Amino acid sequence: MEFQLPEVSLRMMAPEIVLFLGALLVMTADIVTRRRNGNLVGYLSLGVLALTGVILAYAGYGRGFGNMFFNNPLALFFKVIFIGAAFMTVGSSLGITHKKIVNHRGEFFGLIMLSTVGMMFLASSRELLSLYIGLELTTIPLFVLAAFFKDDKKSVEAGIKYLIVGAFSSALLLYGISFLYGLCGSTDLLQMQMSLATKQLYTQGEMGAILLLAIIAIVAGLGFKLALPPFHQWAPDVYEGAPTPVTAFLSVGSKSAGLVAFINVVVVGLFSFYEPLMAPNDWGVLVGVLAAAAMILGNTVAIRQTNIKRMLAYSSIAHAGYVMIGMLAMNELGLASVAFYMFAYLFTNMGAFAIVTLFEDKTGSCEIAEYDGLARSSPFIALSLTVFLLSLTGIPPLAGFVGKFYVFAAAIKQAGSRPGLQWLYWLVGVGLLTSVFALYYYANVIRLMYFGKRAEPVTMAFNPPAVAVILLGLVGVILFGLYPQPIIQFASQIPLSFGFILP
């Protein structure tokens, strides 16, 4: 029997290889320079991430290692989001690392980059074991980053909670994967899809309890990553206790990684929701219930929060519900709208968290009441935060509005074209109603900044890297709100990667 080496394309994997080597370089540079230059490793990290982005533009489409590594429009789109999130996280971290992280800056930036490498491998994976390894490579550095301020009890608590919840979700995911392997005899997602389709058609959709258990375990495991209720309990405490730039990275990078894992496993492997004949085993209704719960719980509980990081944590739970509406609309708009939503969320949330980081660095507080009168002392910061909060609400003509419009439009089109999916109208209705609740708590922060009567409001210090991140966020939110066509055109290639989705 002739042994054949797997097909390998280093060109496709070049961005991941460069970023991995860059992470090692950053950690080594920090040790070699004896940590004398506070910002050297930070700027070096920014340079490596920018170089990775340039190389990604030339990586191209294709596959390697069998089906274990796929570069398709879905993978490339989300890799842009991951690199962008890491870049903006490092940029907004330069201020706090200079003051609060004296001895381990190289490890801090290196772990962000290693987690990004895991996200990129995850996006390209079409096989369950490599996908799981990518997910763990993404998550394990985040456990350490959440607890990076080891003298801060809240930070340590955040790291421990995140570790416990992460271990629990991994166990559930592995249970689901093992059940699927038992049913299909393969961990390859495309082979799994064909095997399940054949068996379900043969049994007229009666696959039994094992597939149902597998679907529940996988949706629950990935639900932890996305912070969908009832798997969301970790999010507020971890968001509050983790260093603020890490919280921003969790809210955008980690959530996007969970989302792309959901697409690869559930949409590619478990496609029963698409075909009515296979409806008894579908995942659509289950995810629809979780999405509605996320929008209702996230937006109503956020109203009561006095800490802005906890408010943004509940807001991110609600946004997971909105983006799931697009996921359920498996038409030509569905996955494209999900991708655009996360692209807009990248600029909006990273920009908002950059301001929260600056404010916390100046005052040591994340209480919303401390923002009282900020527009009088720091008008640029107040205006920028206003723009980001309005985009999170979904006010036109900002990018957040375009994202919400597309996910709702995709669901309405699907509900109108397929019998039995009219319940998507109700889901869109819940999304519209809860957006009104969101306006209340976002507008409360804006009201405090512009109409607060504090005698001596906080005056923000000028931090060039953080201000650059804020400007980048503003440009993204306004530009892609007014002119979203290039990104929509790029995102519209994603459904073409999935042959079972009708044009």
Side-chain angles (χ1 to χ4, degrees):
M1 182 178 175
E2 186 180 355
F3 177 74
Q4 289 186 338
L5 289 172
E7 182 185 351
V8 179
S9 172
L10 292 180
R11 180 177 63 84
M12 281 193 310
M13 298 177 69
E16 286 83 357
I17 294 170
V18 167
L19 190 55
F20 175 74
L21 294 176
L24 299 183
L25 174 66
V26 165
M27 288 190 272
T28 306
D30 194 35
I31 295 170
V32 170
T33 58
R34 299 183 180 179
R35 295 164 172 139
R36 288 175 181 164
N37 191 325
N39 286 332
L40 172 66
V41 289
Y43 287 116
L44 185 59
S45 304
L46 290 175
V48 171
L49 285 164
L51 177 64
T52 306
V54 172
I55 295 173
L56 181 65
Y58 296 97
Y61 299 145
R63 66 186 178 95
F65 296 100
N67 280 338
M68 291 184 119
F69 193 90
F70 248 79
N71 257 358
N72 55 12
L74 172 73
L76 289 184
F77 194 99
F78 274 88
K79 286 179 185 180
V80 171
I81 294 177
F82 299 145
I83 294 171
F87 188 89
M88 295 176 82
T89 301
V90 172
S92 58
S93 299
L94 288 176
I96 67 160
T97 52
H98 189 69
K99 294 179 182 176
K100 296 182 180 177
I101 305 174
V102 178
N103 294 322
H104 301 285
R105 296 187 190 101
E107 290 90 331
F108 183 80
F109 294 122
L111 287 170
I112 291 173
M113 296 161 76
L114 287 176
S115 180
T116 309
V117 172
M119 294 174 189
M120 294 170 72
F121 272 112
L122 181 64
S124 285
S125 181
R126 282 293 183 89
E127 195 267 346
L128 285 174
L129 292 182
S130 60
L131 185 141
Y132 178 75
I133 292 169
L135 199 61
E136 291 303 297
L137 180 57
T138 298
T139 311
I140 291 172
L142 293 175
F143 299 152
V144 183
L145 287 168
F148 212 81
F149 291 162
K150 57 187 178 184
D151 296 329
D152 184 340
K153 287 182 180 177
K154 284 190 174 181
S155 180
V156 174
E157 180 187 342
I160 292 173
K161 282 186 175 177
Y162 196 28
L163 171 66
I164 293 171
V165 170
F168 189 57
S169 68
S170 291
L172 281 174
L173 196 59
L174 281 176
Y175 268 120
I177 288 173
S178 60
F179 288 147
L180 284 179
Y181 178 75
L183 282 172
C184 307
S186 173
T187 55
D188 185 299
L189 286 168
L190 293 175
Q191 290 183 19
M192 197 173 81
Q193 178 194 113
M194 289 185 283
S195 174
L196 283 178
T198 305
K199 289 179 180 177
Q200 289 199 80
L201 288 170
Y202 180 74
T203 60
Q204 295 294 303
E206 297 297 330
M207 283 293 289
I210 298 299
L211 181 58
L212 184 63
L213 280 174
I215 291 172
I216 291 174
I218 284 177
V219 169
L222 295 176
F224 277 109
K225 308 294 182 191
L226 293 165
L228 285 171
F231 318 111
H232 68 286
Q233 288 92 344
W234 61 274
D237 291 340
V238 173
Y239 276 40
E240 183 183 2
T244 305
V246 175
T247 305
F249 193 54
L250 281 171
S251 72
V252 177
S254 178
K255 193 177 289 292
S256 300
L259 203 59
V260 79
F262 190 96
I263 294 172
N264 277 330
V265 177
V266 180
V267 177
V268 176
L270 306 170
F271 68 108
S272 56
F273 176 61
Y274 166 70
E275 181 53 59
L277 179 62
M278 302 169 187
N281 296 310
D282 75 39
W283 48 268
V285 175
L286 174 62
V287 173
V289 171
L290 297 183
M295 290 184 286
I296 294 170
L297 187 142
N299 283 313
T300 51
V301 179
I303 292 174
R304 301 182 58 188
Q305 302 306 311
T306 58
N307 183 299
I308 197 164
K309 286 171 74 175
R310 290 186 74 87
M311 186 194 84
L312 290 172
Y314 281 104
S315 161
S316 79
I317 292 169
H319 282 281
Y322 293 127
V323 81
M324 278 297 157
I325 295 178
M327 188 76 74
L328 290 165
M330 291 180 59
N331 51 19
E332 76 278 12
L333 280 178
L335 293 181
S337 68
V338 168
F340 183 87
Y341 196 101
M342 293 312 297
F343 189 79
Y345 195 63
L346 161 70
F347 292 102
T348 307
N349 226 35
M350 296 303 295
F353 269 109
I355 292 174
V356 174
T357 304
L358 264 182
F359 195 88
E360 185 186 15
D361 194 32
K362 174 72 177 178
T363 65
S365 172
C366 289
E367 291 300 308
I368 294 173
E370 293 293 323
Y371 286 75
D372 194 334
L374 187 66
R376 282 185 277 125
S377 58
S378 304
F380 169 72
I381 296 295
L383 179 63
S384 302
L385 186 55
T386 300
V387 171
F388 294 133
L389 293 177
L390 291 177
S391 181
L392 283 171
T393 311
I395 301 295
L398 303 172
F401 165 75
V402 181
K404 275 190 180 176
F405 173 81
Y406 273 102
V407 295
F408 291 161
I412 289 171
K413 183 176 180 182
Q414 187 71 305
S417 60
R418 284 188 172 270
L421 294 182
Q422 281 79 10
W423 55 271
L424 285 176
Y425 284 128
W426 286 97
L427 204 57
V428 173
V430 172
L432 291 170
L433 184 63
T434 52
S435 293
V436 178
F437 295 167
L439 179 61
Y440 178 83
Y441 60 81
Y442 289 134
N444 180 49
V445 180
I446 298 170
R447 179 189 63 78
L448 265 178
M449 290 192 297
Y450 281 91
F451 301 105
K453 297 179 180 178
R454 188 172 181 173
E456 294 182 1
V458 176
T459 302
M460 302 291 291
F462 181 74
N463 182 326
V467 171
V469 171
I470 294 168
L471 286 173
L472 184 60
L474 284 175
V475 169
V477 167
I478 297 170
L479 176 65
F480 297 119
L482 295 171
Y483 185 57
Q485 281 79 6
I487 306 304
I488 290 173
Q489 193 173 2
F490 183 14
S492 64
Q493 298 177 26
I494 291 174
L496 303 179
S497 308
F498 305 93
F500 54 87
I501 293 177
L502 290 176

